[in-house]
């Protein structure tokens, strides 16, 4: 995998409410996520995992602190670019699904493509393909509200991957699934991560899923309680454990850079080439993707969609 | 997101709450219906007035009365109390137009000719070889470029020695000429009373002189027909002579005059005529009186339509605010998936525009239907005598303009809810229960 830092946070704080009702959900988070990594965020209920995910995916703004994306401070990003990121670079699986209940399953999956302005035929093909990946192509015409909990979750995953994102944020993606279906979803996610270098950030209570990730970040009371390399991934890197229980939020821990790996292996080169060939990658010409060597998920795209 | 998608979604969203959308559209429909119909009537009246003006021409034709006389006529219809201002010694306070006034009028720049005419009263008209008599309303045939809008024959020659007359088409019909052409060159007889003779006559018929006149033209129905029949000058003078037989000459002066003037200078000539004590009216002024009446009625209608639209606009705001509230989570999701604020704004603004659009489309459909019915009804009824007067006329330009205006009003009404929607924070919106 690449060694480039994708996301880093610096003294990230988020508080809700005012005065007496004020509650600090995040109290100074410093972490760094590299491109192509798979990261599990674990922690007790109410510890701030979802809040952190929303901030990382740039859906919400921190009360204090900074989030850097590819080294750029995101608080300075223009709305246009934020929209572009949300639509094309990030895929988000919300903890409580969030679907248009009265709309069809297909239309729910199509939504990001529709917002992107993809033509009718192509977006239908791509959405069907994404549904096939999660095993729901037969439910395309059903109303979203008529699905079971697990099926809804899979629709949300289809929606998150339909736009070929470079980062997938998944908040409890297997929370409502039996172990067999859950394992299938895990396969999909890790396939995207390993075969196509997509960065995967998952919130989960499922230790098995967490263990499959390269890293596990433990959140407790709005702090990073521990941040360690996953045990099950055979890697030449040593398992590190960083205690970052600090009181000073503004003190930046993320300065530490991860430069120790990585000889540019052949696979990586190939991915970069594939990315550079892709003209769609920087459609709005804001230059963002040009200095970002994220690969593209080619298997999600159906044939002839281009 | 493409334009077609946005329009499709806007309509689909309106269909989600059919009853609410329908009622909002109904409110817009009421306003647009009233406005479209009154604009149709306005177009109809204007079209009629224009047609009349074109067929009559009359750009340079003025009818004049002594100002004192026209003021007296006005006074008859007025309750206003006016202070008395003593006139100058040489001011003409009579009904009559003096020779001096006529001389001065002829000298005004742009005046080509002035004809003064004395009063002439007639009793009836009948066919020379017929018995049926009809009341006659007679005027003088005008000189100059005034086109009489004739349906047959020609304009009477003002200077011809023979007695010539133009009669309205419906009079010709009553006299037995179903086809206007058939009446041309027929001789009619006009019953002319002698004022003195009638004082002493035992039977009215004993003091009536019958004058033969040739029908040279048939007046098409229209505004000019309201003037009744038209005699040429020699016929007119002969009637005046019979009327005044045995009366002192000084009681027999001109009371009215017509002038043929340069059409470009009508207004300034009217001013100058006023200075010499003559009140002049052009055909336009007369037609204008009809228009003024309709304008007043239409203004009231339009105001009602406007008020209805204003209420409908508030309905749009209300409907959309509810819609924004209900769709809070959906808006949050759209924004979380990268929809721009402007697009969210556009979605709701377009819903407002679609409400306006459908309201005015239904307004047009119903107005055109009802307008057609009104036209059929009035052609067979009150406007029977004016077949060229189509009361309600819709032009595509008018309908499109009104539709666009209503869509604009709807858009303005949509701004507030659409802004509210576009300002929503995605995470807050997603949390909304
Ligand atoms: N909009 C909000 N207003 C007030 N408090 C909030 C808001 N959103 C989150 N919180 C609080 O912030 C804390 C962290 O919430 P968060 O949803 O991030 O928890 P979590 O770690 O995802 O929990 P879970 O595992 O149950 O999903 C909670 O105590 C929650 O009550
Ligand atoms: Mg959560």
């Amino acid at each position: 995998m690449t060694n480039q830092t994708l996301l880093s946070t610096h003294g990230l704080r988020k508080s809700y409410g005012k005065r007496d009702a004020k509650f600090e959900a995040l109290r100074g988070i410093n972490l760094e996520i590299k491109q192509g990594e798979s990261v599990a965020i674990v922690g007790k209920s109410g510890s701030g995992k979802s809040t952190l995910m929303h901030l990382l995916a740039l859906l919400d703004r921190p009360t204090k602190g900074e989030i850097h994306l590819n080294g750029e401070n995101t608080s300075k990003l223009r709305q246009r670019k934020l929209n572009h990121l949300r639509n094309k670079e990030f895929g988000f699986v919300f903890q409580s699904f969030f679907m248009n209940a009265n709309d069809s399953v297909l239309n729910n999956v199509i939504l990001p493509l529709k917002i992107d302005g993809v033509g009718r035929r192509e977006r239908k093909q791509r959405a069907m393909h994404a549904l096939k990946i999660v095993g729901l192509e037969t439910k395309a015409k059903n109303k979203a509200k008529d699905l079971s909990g697990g099926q809804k979750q899979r629709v949300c995953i289809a929606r998150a991957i339909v736009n070929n994102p470079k980062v997938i944020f998944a908040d409890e993606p297997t929370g409502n699934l039996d172990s067999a279906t859950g394992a299938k979803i895990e396969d999909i996610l890790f396939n995207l991560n390993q075969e196509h270098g997509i960065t995967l950030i998952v919130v989960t209570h499922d230790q098995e899923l967490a263990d499959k990730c390269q890293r596990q970040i433990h959140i407790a009371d709005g702090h990073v309680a521990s941040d360690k390399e996953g045990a099950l991934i055979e890697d030449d890197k040593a398992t590190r454990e960083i205690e970052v229980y600090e009181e000073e939020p503004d003190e930046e821990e993320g300065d530490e850079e991860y430069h120790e790996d990585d000889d540019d292996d052949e696979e990586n080169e190939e991915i970069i080439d594939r990315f550079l060939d892709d003209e769609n990658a920087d459609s709005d010409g804001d230059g963002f993707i040009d200095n970002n060597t994220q690969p593209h998920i080619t298997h999600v795209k159906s044939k002839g969609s281009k | 997101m493409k334009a077609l998608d946005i329009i499709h979604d806007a309509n689909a969203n309106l269909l989600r709450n059919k009853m609410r959308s329908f009622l909002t559209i109904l409110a817009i429909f009421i306003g647009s219906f009233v406005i479209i119909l009154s604009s149709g009537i306005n177009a109809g009246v204007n079209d009629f007035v224009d047609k009349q003006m074109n067929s009559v021409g009359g750009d340079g034709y003025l009818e004049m009365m002594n100002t004192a006389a026209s003021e007296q006529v006005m006074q008859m219809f007025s309750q206003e109390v006016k202070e008395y201002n003593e006139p100058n010694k040489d001011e003409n306070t009579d009904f009559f137009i003096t020779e001096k006034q006529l001389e001065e009028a002829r000298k005004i720049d742009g005046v080509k000719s002035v004809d003064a005419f004395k009063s002439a009263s007639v009793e009836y008209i009948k066919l020379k070889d017929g018995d049926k008599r009809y009341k006659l309303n007679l005027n003088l045939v005008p000189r100059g470029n005034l086109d009489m809008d004739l349906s047959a024959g020609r304009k009477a020659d003002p200077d011809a020695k023979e007695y010539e007359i133009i009669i309205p088409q419906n009079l010709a019909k009553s006299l037995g000429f179903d086809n206007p052409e058939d009446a041309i060159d027929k001789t009619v007889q006009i019953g002319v009373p002698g004022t003195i003779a009638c004082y002493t006559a035992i039977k009215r018929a004993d003091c009536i002189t019958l004058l033969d006149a040739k029908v040279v033209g048939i007046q098409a129905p229209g505004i000019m027909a309201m003037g009744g029949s038209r005699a040429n000058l020699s016929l007119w003078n002969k009637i005046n002579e019979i009327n005044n037989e045995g009366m002192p000459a000084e009681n027999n002066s001109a009371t009215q005059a017509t002038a043929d003037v340069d059409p470009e200078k009508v207004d300034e000539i009217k001013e100058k005529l006023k200075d010499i004590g003559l009140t002049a009216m052009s055909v336009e002024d007369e037609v204008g009186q009809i228009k003024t009446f309709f304008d007043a009625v239409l203004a009231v209608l339009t105001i009602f339509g406007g008020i209805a639209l204003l209420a409908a606009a508030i309905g749009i705001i209300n409907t959309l605010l509810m819609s924004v509230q209900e769709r809070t989570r959906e808006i949050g999701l759209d924004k979380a998936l990268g929809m721009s604020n402007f697009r969210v704004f556009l979605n709701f603004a377009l819903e407002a525009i679609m409400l306006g659009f459908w309201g005015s489309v239904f307004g047009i459909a119903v107005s055109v239907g009802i307008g057609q019915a009104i036209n059929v009804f009035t052609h067979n009824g009150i406007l029977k005598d004016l077949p060229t007067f189509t009361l309600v006329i819709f032009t595509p330009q008018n309908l499109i303009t009104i539709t666009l205006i209503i869509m604009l009003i709807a858009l303005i009404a949509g701004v507030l809810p659409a802004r509210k929607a576009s300002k929503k924070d995605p995470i807050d919106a997603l949390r909304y229960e």
Side-chain angles (χ1 to χ4, degrees):
Chain A
M1 295 287 124
T2 64
N3 59 347
Q4 238 175 313
T5 302
L6 177 72
L7 278 164
S8 60
T9 69
H10 309 273
L12 205 59
R13 284 172 171 266
K14 179 76 185 175
S15 52
Y16 294 109
K18 281 174 192 154
R19 304 224 173 107
D20 295 346
K22 184 164 166 164
F23 175 76
E24 279 206 281
L26 297 180
R27 308 174 183 201
I29 301 276
N30 298 308
L31 46 84
E32 190 162 333
I33 294 165
K34 288 182 284 177
Q35 276 173 17
E37 247 186 334
S38 56
V39 181
I41 295 175
V42 295
K44 278 197 306 203
S45 175
S47 55
K49 306 182 296 295
S50 295
T51 304
L52 176 62
M53 290 280 272
H54 293 153
L55 289 176
L56 289 177
L58 308 179
L59 294 175
D60 210 351
R61 290 190 182 275
T63 313
K64 237 182 180 176
E66 290 173 1
I67 301 165
H68 289 206
L69 176 70
N70 292 311
E72 207 181 334
N73 186 349
T74 55
S75 69
K76 296 201 175 70
L77 287 182
R78 282 190 311 179
Q79 190 62 42
R80 198 178 133 75
K81 198 159 160 188
L82 274 182
N83 291 332
H84 174 86
L85 288 168
R86 289 173 186 173
N87 186 241
K88 301 201 67 160
E89 313 283 321
F90 296 166
F92 206 105
V93 182
F94 293 96
Q95 186 171 14
S96 30
F97 314 144
F98 295 129
M99 291 194 292
N100 293 326
N102 288 313
D103 228 341
S104 71
V105 167
L106 184 66
N107 279 341
N108 268 285
V109 178
I110 274 177
L111 190 55
L113 299 175
K114 196 165 153 190
I115 291 170
D116 188 24
V118 177
R120 270 168 194 273
R121 274 192 54 202
E122 186 188 335
R123 70 194 185 203
K124 197 175 164 188
Q125 278 177 348
R126 283 168 66 179
M128 282 310 291
H129 191 85
L131 279 173
K132 203 173 271 174
I133 290 173
V134 298
L136 280 177
E137 68 271 30
T138 56
K139 297 282 184 186
K141 294 245 151 58
N142 288 47
K143 279 196 169 184
K145 64 177 176 193
D146 296 337
L147 297 186
S148 74
Q151 286 170 334
K152 282 180 187 167
Q153 198 140 38
R154 284 187 278 159
V155 172
C156 290
I157 287 164
R159 185 178 64 194
I161 62 178
V162 76
N163 236 348
N164 299 338
K166 304 196 166 70
V167 189
I168 292 180
F169 298 89
D171 201 346
E172 301 276 14
T174 56
N176 291 305
L177 300 179
D178 59 279
S179 55
T181 322
K184 210 182 143 207
I185 294 301
E186 284 167 25
D187 284 348
I188 295 167
L189 293 176
F190 284 106
N191 179 290
L192 291 172
N193 171 247
Q194 275 155 22
E195 302 295 320
H196 303 282
I198 286 166
T199 312
L200 190 61
I201 303 170
V202 212
V203 169
T204 186
H205 285 115
D206 178 356
Q207 193 53 47
E208 214 175 302
L209 173 57
D211 287 341
K212 283 185 184 164
C213 293
Q214 292 172 326
R215 260 170 87 193
Q216 291 184 22
I217 298 171
H218 189 160
I219 305 286
D221 295 330
H223 295 281
V224 176
S226 72
D227 184 345
K228 63 179 185 219
E229 303 282 322
L232 293 188
I233 302 281
E234 294 306 337
D235 213 314
D236 54 353
K237 283 170 261 173
T239 299
R240 288 176 297 135
E241 202 160 330
I242 308 164
E243 286 291 322
V244 280
Y245 225 104
E246 53 187 311
E247 292 303 329
E248 273 304 321
D250 290 334
E251 204 178 293
E252 291 189 356
E253 183 256 4
D255 283 345
E256 185 191 339
E257 286 189 78
Y258 298 84
H259 267 313
E260 71 261 58
D261 49 357
D262 210 355
D263 357 352
D264 280 341
D265 56 38
E266 275 166 43
E267 189 208 338
N268 199 17
E269 290 236 50
E270 193 194 313
I271 287 167
I272 292 168
D273 284 345
R274 227 185 303 151
F275 166 70
L276 289 174
D277 283 341
D278 190 349
E279 290 119 7
N280 275 348
D282 185 14
S283 57
D284 67 352
D286 61 9
F288 168 69
I289 314 169
D290 302 324
N291 52 25
N292 172 0
T293 51
Q294 283 286 313
H296 227 67
I297 321 166
T298 44
H299 83 280
V300 175
K301 262 190 199 163
S302 63
K303 286 175 198 83
S305 67
K306 241 184 152 178
Chain B
M1 211 181 216
K2 292 182 178 156
L4 270 179
D5 279 338
I6 300 180
I7 292 173
H8 175 266
D9 286 359
N11 281 320
N13 283 329
L14 291 181
L15 284 177
R16 276 207 250 172
N17 205 323
K18 293 189 189 66
M19 195 59 169
R20 194 167 69 197
S21 302
F22 172 74
L23 290 174
T24 314
I25 289 172
L26 187 66
I28 301 162
F29 156 75
I30 292 169
S32 69
F33 167 71
V34 174
I35 286 191
I36 291 168
L37 197 62
S38 51
S39 112
I41 295 174
N42 186 40
V45 171
N46 278 333
D47 174 77
F48 174 68
V49 167
D50 284 352
K51 263 194 214 155
Q52 288 294 316
M53 298 299 285
N54 286 339
S55 67
V56 170
D59 285 346
Y61 173 72
L62 293 178
E63 282 186 359
M64 294 173 281
M65 276 176 97
N66 187 31
T67 304
S70 81
E71 271 173 8
Q72 278 189 43
V73 173
M74 294 297 203
Q75 198 72 46
M76 287 192 243
F77 304 103
S78 162
Q79 299 192 13
E80 193 187 345
V81 178
K82 278 186 181 159
E83 201 182 334
Y84 175 73
N85 288 318
E86 195 170 288
N88 291 331
K89 199 169 156 291
D90 53 348
E91 203 170 295
N92 180 3
T93 59
D94 242 329
F95 258 98
F96 304 119
I97 297 173
T98 63
E99 274 308 316
K100 191 167 152 260
Q101 281 175 308
L102 291 172
E103 274 317 304
E104 283 178 46
R106 286 191 181 101
K107 273 187 262 170
I108 292 171
D109 183 33
V111 174
K112 292 174 199 158
S113 68
V114 176
D115 285 323
F117 50 99
K118 301 166 180 178
S119 66
S121 79
V122 291
E123 206 85 334
Y124 60 82
I125 186 171
K126 72 178 198 63
L127 274 185
K128 190 172 174 131
D129 43 8
D131 301 322
K132 245 186 157 25
R133 299 177 294 183
Y134 297 95
K135 279 198 170 179
L136 182 61
N137 169 18
L138 193 65
N139 271 292
L140 196 60
V141 70
R143 209 183 273 279
N145 68 352
L146 191 65
D147 184 342
M148 296 290 295
D149 193 17
L150 301 176
S151 54
R154 59 171 171 84
K155 192 173 159 182
D157 178 1
D159 300 318
K161 289 275 175 306
E162 299 84 54
Y163 300 150
E164 295 184 349
I165 188 168
I166 294 172
I167 59 174
Q169 192 168 324
N170 53 358
L171 178 58
K173 199 169 175 182
S174 298
L175 287 171
F177 304 108
D178 280 339
N179 185 355
E181 300 287 345
D182 298 343
I184 303 301
D185 286 341
K186 293 287 183 316
T187 305
V188 290
Q189 287 188 319
I190 297 164
V192 184
T195 313
I196 301 277
C198 282
Y199 273 121
T200 54
I202 295 161
K203 269 168 49 205
R204 186 70 177 176
D206 294 344
C207 65
I208 305 288
T209 310
L210 282 175
L211 263 182
D212 284 5
K214 197 169 74 175
V215 175
V216 296
I218 301 298
Q219 176 74 64
I223 289 184
M224 288 303 283
M226 290 170 189
S229 304
R230 307 256 176 183
N232 72 344
L233 200 59
S234 51
L235 176 58
W236 185 272
N237 285 340
K238 183 66 189 169
I239 293 168
N240 174 266
E241 196 180 296
I242 296 170
N243 287 161
N244 288 282
E245 225 164 4
M247 300 254 283
E250 59 270 23
N251 281 1
N252 186 12
S253 317
T255 52
Q256 281 186 65
T258 61
D260 182 18
V261 304
D262 183 350
E264 305 283 304
K265 295 181 176 161
V266 168
D267 286 336
E268 76 189 69
I269 289 171
K270 262 161 63 177
E271 278 306 307
K272 285 180 183 158
L273 285 170
K274 206 175 186 176
D275 293 340
I276 56 175
L278 292 173
T279 299
M281 249 184 148
S282 63
V283 176
E284 234 169 294
D285 293 334
E286 282 172 41
V287 175
Q289 286 173 348
I290 296 178
K291 206 171 137 35
T292 311
F293 167 74
F294 275 103
D295 281 349
V297 174
L298 291 176
V300 172
L301 263 181
T302 310
I303 288 170
F304 281 145
I307 292 171
L309 273 187
L310 191 73
I314 294 169
I316 293 177
I317 298 177
N318 197 23
T319 301
L320 287 184
L321 278 179
M322 277 195 265
S323 202
V324 169
Q325 189 88 339
E326 281 166 14
R327 276 147 62 189
T328 296
R329 275 161 67 106
E330 193 183 322
I331 296 164
L333 182 61
D334 284 341
K335 297 187 86 174
L337 294 178
M339 191 182 280
S340 68
N341 289 0
F342 179 67
R343 280 281 197 269
V344 175
F345 180 91
L346 213 59
N347 286 349
F348 281 91
L350 212 80
E351 255 173 66
I353 292 174
M354 285 327 280
L355 284 171
F357 174 76
W358 290 118
S360 65
V361 164
F362 292 135
I364 287 171
V366 174
S367 308
V368 170
I370 288 186
Q372 224 62 14
I374 289 178
N375 283 342
V376 171
F377 187 72
T378 52
H379 270 308
N380 299 326
I382 50 168
L383 296 180
K384 206 173 183 167
D385 295 336
L386 298 174
T388 54
F389 192 173
T390 306
L391 187 58
V392 193
I393 293 179
F394 296 109
T395 62
Q397 298 96 299
N398 260 353
L399 296 180
I400 291 171
T401 310
I402 292 174
T403 303
L404 289 179
I405 289 173
I406 290 173
M407 283 163 78
L408 180 73
I409 292 172
L411 169 64
I412 292 169
V415 164
L416 177 77
R419 265 176 67 92
K420 203 174 160 181
S422 73
K423 288 255 158 74
K424 284 199 185 295
D425 175 78
I427 292 298
D428 278 353
L430 280 172
R431 275 183 197 278
Y432 180 85
E433 295 294 330

